[in-house]
Amino acid sequence: MNDTPEDPATQARAAVADRIAAAFADAGVDGAVHAVDIDRGTEAGHGADRLVCTASVHKLCVLLALHRLAAAGRIDLTEQVECAVEGRTPGGTGLAAMLDASRMSLRDLAYLMIAVSDNAAADLLLARVGLEEVNRTTRALGLRHTRAVESFAAMQEGMREDAGPAAARALTDPLVLARLRALDPTHGNRSTPRELTRLLGAVWRDEFLPEAHGAAVRRLLGLQVWPHRLASGFPFDDVQVFGKTGTLPTLRAEAGVVEYPDGGRYAVAVFTRAADTRHVVPAADAVIGLVARLAVDGLRGAS
């Protein structure tokens, strides 16, 4: 039977979408979310097909490209990389924050890239893998709107150019933010919430990578240290959250998977843009967990 406005399932989905929209509005953000039951295929969302700037969420795609090459025997994950101080991509975590040169394996660089969103580690991996290989990987997954355009260093350099002489001090000025190419999804690295949950579902079902490589990807996503976004919506000892955050001025996002002890597995991607231009806006972080929980509760109620 086709869904109609009177159909209970349709009404339930609409009610969840309304609650999500209200939560975004209450937090002062414009948001988009998609959630899908990985095993049943039921879904919930709001603006699921909106093109969004992925920021550091795109490190998921770099990770998959790395493991795809490793699975094909084209890269050895234990290969050692020299991590010089000169030319490192800036950032506040991992290699980007370290003061000395080091030597590290590709798989350990991947750990830093995912667990603490290390920009320097991500760009070292990109230099080894290549942007086009990242795009071949997402095309192989059937992700038509997901594209890697630039490195994380190039994204930062573009923001510095767009901000002008005041540099980072200008990144709370709405007039400056309006001209940042990094916040234009037609310019930089991009995807949609629905495509990112499709990517995660394929990894969790071992449809895209051999089982050992899928397990390695899932392990890294389970080691992410940030609890203030997606994980904040699921504060239970027996619920596990895997994820990758992304952050740019006014943009906060996370894509990940929530696993319940009864075997339920849900891929969720949430992207927000805040009206408040301050760097610290707790409500804009917390709403990511809230809307993820609303979406997942809707799916669990429908099962």
Side-chain angles (χ1 to χ4, degrees):
M1 183 176 69
N2 293 330
D3 283 348
T4 68
E6 293 76 29
D7 179 77
T10 300
Q11 290 179 336
R13 285 194 296 271
V16 170
D18 287 345
R19 288 196 290 272
I20 288 170
F24 281 141
D26 288 346
V29 304
D30 178 31
V33 57
H34 186 251
V36 62
D37 185 316
I38 289 172
D39 301 298
R40 297 173 182 268
T42 52
E43 56 186 341
H46 172 80
D49 297 307
R50 184 185 303 175
L51 195 66
V52 293
C53 300
T54 44
S56 284
V57 173
H58 221 97
K59 291 168 184 171
L60 276 174
C61 304
V62 178
L63 181 64
L64 259 63
L66 176 71
H67 277 273
R68 185 170 181 245
L69 289 173
R74 295 170 55 194
I75 274 183
D76 180 352
L77 293 173
T78 66
E79 175 186 324
Q80 298 292 302
V81 176
E82 298 295 335
C83 310
V85 174
E86 298 77 16
R88 276 185 189 167
T89 304
T93 60
L95 285 171
M98 295 179 187
L99 301 177
D100 299 315
S102 62
R103 197 163 184 261
M104 194 170 292
S105 68
L106 292 173
R107 62 185 178 184
D108 282 345
L109 287 172
Y111 159 71
L112 289 176
M113 175 179 72
I114 298 300
V116 297
S117 203
D118 181 354
N119 290 331
D123 275 345
L124 286 169
L125 290 172
L126 262 180
R128 184 65 178 84
V129 170
L131 279 172
E132 188 46 46
E133 186 62 39
V134 176
N135 289 327
R136 278 192 287 268
T137 296
T138 52
R139 285 197 298 269
L141 275 163
L143 309 184
R144 295 174 46 244
H145 303 291
T146 303
R147 183 163 178 78
V149 175
E150 59 189 357
S151 68
F152 297 95
M155 180 173 63
Q156 291 182 354
E157 179 59 29
M159 286 198 294
R160 284 192 290 270
E161 292 174 359
D162 294 343
R169 296 189 304 278
L171 294 180
T172 57
D173 183 338
L175 295 178
V176 172
L177 294 174
R179 64 175 182 255
L180 290 187
R181 288 168 290 172
L183 297 176
D184 178 358
T186 66
H187 170 80
N189 301 338
R190 54 190 176 264
S191 187
T192 69
R194 189 189 303 274
E195 289 199 349
L196 289 166
T197 59
R198 181 175 178 179
L199 178 156
L200 290 164
V203 171
W204 252 253
R205 292 189 298 268
D206 286 322
E207 292 175 349
F208 186 67
L209 295 169
E211 184 176 353
H213 287 277
V217 168
R218 295 190 291 271
R219 170 183 171 270
L220 292 184
L221 292 173
L223 295 174
Q224 182 185 231
V225 301
W226 315 123
H228 60 310
R229 292 183 182 168
L230 187 59
S232 70
F234 304 90
F236 312 110
D237 289 344
D238 58 353
V239 175
Q240 190 167 2
V241 178
F242 306 75
K244 180 69 203 78
T245 58
T247 308
L248 286 170
T250 71
L251 185 153
R252 296 166 179 84
E254 187 162 355
V257 169
V258 181
E259 291 187 355
Y260 276 73
D262 61 6
R265 309 186 296 176
Y266 310 90
V268 188
V270 187
F271 285 78
T272 71
R273 288 284 304 276
D276 191 329
T277 63
R278 291 176 298 171
H279 297 307
V280 179
V281 185
D285 289 313
V287 76
I288 292 174
L290 174 58
V291 300
R293 176 73 179 278
L294 289 170
V296 168
D297 280 355
L299 294 176
R300 289 177 66 76
S303 63

